[in-house]
Amino acid sequence: MLNLNAFLVGLLFGLGLIISGMTDPSKVIGFLDLAGAWDPSLAFVMGGAILVGAGAFTLAKKRQRSLLGAPMQLSSATKLDSRLLLGSLVFGIGWGISGFCPGPAVVSAAAGQPKAWIFVASMLAGMALYSVIEQRGK
């Protein structure tokens, strides 16, 4: 039952990404092009997501278990460090170059977009490289 619920929530999230235009790299790049032909429509998508997320996290902090009974696992990190800042920078550069971030890229790849497959493969390779580097550093 837990897997079915996770699938349905993921499906709903994916549909939201498609409807909002987050799976269209040209729309995302248009949003990021502040000095050119800026498309502000995704600002409403992000604003809505921030409002929903803020409310959800406020409620989640008060709970010990999720609505489906799993233990609540929220990050307690509050420090801005070089790893977070560098990771954010790499994420932003990748998003700006490709027009994809991880969630919409997976949805686009599932829809058969070749550029999304390249992005997802590159993302997985980067994750594997990071894992190797982290293991060597321990």
Side-chain angles (χ1 to χ4, degrees), residues 22-26 28-29 32 93-101 104 119:
M22 291 292 293
T23 58
D24 179 3
S26 63
V28 172
I29 290 171
L32 296 173
I93 290 170
W95 192 35
I97 290 171
S98 68
F100 285 117
C101 66
F119 178 89

Side-chain angles (χ1 to χ4, degrees), residues 4-18 107:
L4 177 62
N5 285 324
F7 173 78
L8 292 175
V9 169
L11 184 63
L12 179 63
F13 182 68
L15 288 172
L17 291 173
I18 292 168
V107 173

Side-chain angles (χ1 to χ4, degrees), residues 20-129:
S20 70
M22 291 292 293
T23 58
D24 179 3
S26 63
K27 187 164 187 72
V28 172
I29 290 171
F31 170 71
L32 296 173
D33 186 8
L34 298 175
W38 184 54
D39 177 2
S41 62
L42 291 183
F44 295 106
V45 173
M46 290 183 185
I50 289 169
L51 286 175
V52 170
F57 276 104
T58 300
L59 293 174
K61 287 178 184 177
K62 297 176 183 177
R63 299 179 58 94
Q64 296 297 315
R65 302 190 84 58
S66 73
L67 294 176
L68 299 175
M72 200 57 78
Q73 299 176 348
L74 299 175
S75 174
S76 60
T78 59
K79 183 178 158 190
L80 288 178
D81 60 10
S82 60
R83 290 172 53 129
L84 176 63
L85 295 174
L86 181 61
S88 300
L89 180 65
V90 170
F91 176 87
I93 290 170
W95 192 35
I97 290 171
S98 68
F100 285 117
C101 66
V106 171
V107 173
S108 296
Q113 288 187 26
K115 289 179 182 179
W117 278 106
I118 293 167
F119 178 89
V120 170
S122 300
M123 177 180 70
L124 293 173
M127 291 167 66
L129 178 62

